Each structure stands twice: as C-alpha cells, then as structure tokens.
Amino acid sequence: AQKITQTQPGMFVQEKEAVTLDCTYDTSDPSYGLFWYKQPSSGEMIFLIYQGSYDQQNATEGRYSLNFQKARKSANLVISASQLGDSAMYFCAMREGRRRDDKIIFGKGTRLHILP
Amino acid sequence: SAVISQKPSRDICQRGTSLTIQCQVDSQVTMMFWYRQQPGQSLTLIATANQGSEATYESGFVIDKFPISRPNLTFSTLTVSNMSPEDSSIYLCSVEGRRGTSDNEQFFGPGTRLTVL
C-alpha cells in the first residue's frame, strides 16, 4: 500500500494565486516527520518545509506553509502568492521513527505549472 | 547544511557494463541513502548505507545489482552492475541533517544522470 499519496499529477495555477498541493500519508508509528521538496527542471532536490508528528503548530517557511491535519493524516503544502519560479515538481515525503537517520520515502509528486 | 558532491554528474554507458557512482559529504554522517529516479518518476530508495556494515536494501533491489561501499563516515559508492537501458535514471545520494542542529532536512546530492544504450 502507498505510504504517501499525492492525488494531483499536475496543476495549473495563475501567477499570484495561492496553491494547495495535497498529500495524505499512512503510518502506524506515532513518531514521524513529513517533508516537502521542490524539484525544478534542473533536477536538484530543494527542501521546502518539515512537520514533526508532535509539533503543535503548522510549519511555515516564508511563502510555504504546511496544513497538518493529523487525524486525517493529511499534510498539504500551501504556497501563497505563487510566482513563475514556483513551476516545478513537488514531492511529499515521510520519515517514520524518531531518528533523523531513518529513511525517507516519497510520494509520486505533483507537477505545478504557474501561468503568467 | 550538508554539502554533498557526486561523481560523475552524468554518463552514457553501454549495455552490460558497470558504473560506480561516488558520493562525498563535507561532514561525518551515520547513514547515507541512495535513491533512483527513473524518467518522469518519483524517488525510490535503493538502499541505506551505514559505515562499517553491509547496506540495507529495499524490496526490489539486490546487492549483486547495486553493490554499495561505505568505507568511512563521509564517503560512499554505488555501483550499477551489468547495466541495461532500464537502468537509465538519475541516482541521488542523500544524508540526514547535521547532528547538534535543528536540521530536520534530509540533504541531497546533485545526482548522477545515467543513460544506458
């Protein structure tokens, strides 16, 4: 079974609009971390944001915020005021366990296109 | 943040040959992770490499096809053996955040783009 599910293969959004990228996860471990990465066409993996399972508040990093709904096992990424440079592939990922050297597994990704 | 370099950055290889990819980190890390990203796909974990012990492989990946070395805390190699066109992918090395910091990020190298003819 899929541990990380991203149901939107592709999205088209007008520049300056807010974007929500969906991610649901499946784990029975009470300790886990959720990640979002951006991969532009250059191929590099750019870390965007992290949410720990015990974090009380939703994570925010500049224009990125993570809408963490633990009971629903949902960790959607919200990008405010989208820019043309936000066009890229976005991956949701999860690390099960407390250790930072535990492995991370990735969802299939969402390709985001920002329209001028 | 951790700085990770990979060599080669890209290569074109003939079917049946092998390629060894190197990953160098600028700090000591416990675990190093090797991922494969096939064209248009997500990242799939191949194996986890701990210094001083055999790598742990994920389902669908075997040591004979993807032997890994981890001779010290800053270096690892992944070999893609007896290559076929299906092995054409980007191979990425990854490490966890620095100890003693609040880094929750897992860092990635720039990747090795492999094309097998």
Side-chain angles (χ1 to χ4, degrees):
Chain A
Q2 287 283 337
K3 289 251 184 185
I4 298 286
T5 303
Q6 295 181 255
T7 57
Q8 307 150 310
M11 285 185 70
F12 290 83
V13 173
Q14 208 68 40
E15 188 181 9
K16 299 180 185 175
E17 290 184 352
V19 182
T20 297
L21 304 181
D22 295 340
C23 175
T24 57
Y25 59 91
D26 182 27
T27 181
S28 57
D29 196 323
S31 298
Y32 54 90
L34 298 158
F35 302 77
W36 278 93
Y37 282 85
K38 172 184 178 181
Q39 188 178 45
S41 56
S42 59
E44 62 185 307
M45 291 292 287
I46 301 171
F47 168 76
L48 297 178
I49 199 165
Y50 169 85
Q51 179 86 42
S53 60
Y54 294 114
D55 294 344
Q56 294 296 312
Q57 295 186 329
N58 287 348
T60 60
E61 290 285 349
R63 292 188 300 114
Y64 304 106
S65 60
L66 200 151
N67 184 1
F68 182 44
Q69 298 188 41
K70 195 170 183 177
R72 296 180 59 189
K73 294 189 175 179
S74 167
N76 297 342
L77 177 71
V78 180
I79 306 174
S80 63
S82 58
Q83 303 170 355
L84 295 178
D86 293 333
S87 294
M89 197 74 176
Y90 288 80
F91 293 102
C92 179
M94 178 173 66
R95 179 172 60 207
E96 294 177 289
R98 289 181 175 274
R99 295 166 58 94
R100 287 194 295 183
D101 55 8
D102 285 324
K103 63 186 180 185
I104 290 180
I105 55 172
F106 285 80
K108 292 187 181 299
T110 295
R111 184 168 295 281
L112 177 63
H113 303 269
I114 305 298
L115 304 172
Chain B
S1 64
V3 177
I4 305 172
S5 60
Q6 286 186 234
K7 290 182 183 179
S9 58
R10 59 177 64 230
D11 207 341
I12 301 173
C13 300
Q14 294 296 322
R15 181 195 300 259
T17 63
S18 298
L19 176 72
T20 295
I21 301 167
Q22 298 179 8
C23 177
Q24 179 76 51
V25 190
D26 70 340
S27 60
Q28 294 184 342
V29 293
T30 304
M31 297 294 190
M32 295 177 79
F33 306 91
W34 287 98
Y35 288 84
R36 179 176 75 181
Q37 187 175 26
Q38 294 176 301
Q41 303 297 314
S42 182
L43 281 73
T44 301
L45 182 64
I46 298 172
T48 302
N50 192 358
Q51 192 264 336
S53 62
E54 274 201 7
T56 302
Y57 288 82
E58 297 298 305
S59 175
F61 297 96
V62 294
I63 188 171
D64 289 348
K65 175 68 175 176
F66 297 101
I68 287 172
S69 78
R70 183 77 201 276
N72 58 52
L73 292 173
T74 62
F75 186 79
S76 178
T77 67
L78 169 76
T79 299
V80 186
S81 302
N82 188 24
M83 287 182 287
S84 67
E86 291 72 33
D87 294 320
S88 297
S89 296
I90 299 173
Y91 292 86
L92 298 111
C93 173
S94 178
V95 304
E96 81 272 19
R98 288 179 185 273
R99 296 181 180 279
T101 72
S102 60
D103 279 345
N104 286 297
E105 176 179 353
Q106 185 165 312
F107 299 95
F108 285 84
T112 296
R113 189 178 296 268
L114 171 62
T115 302
V116 183
L117 303 177

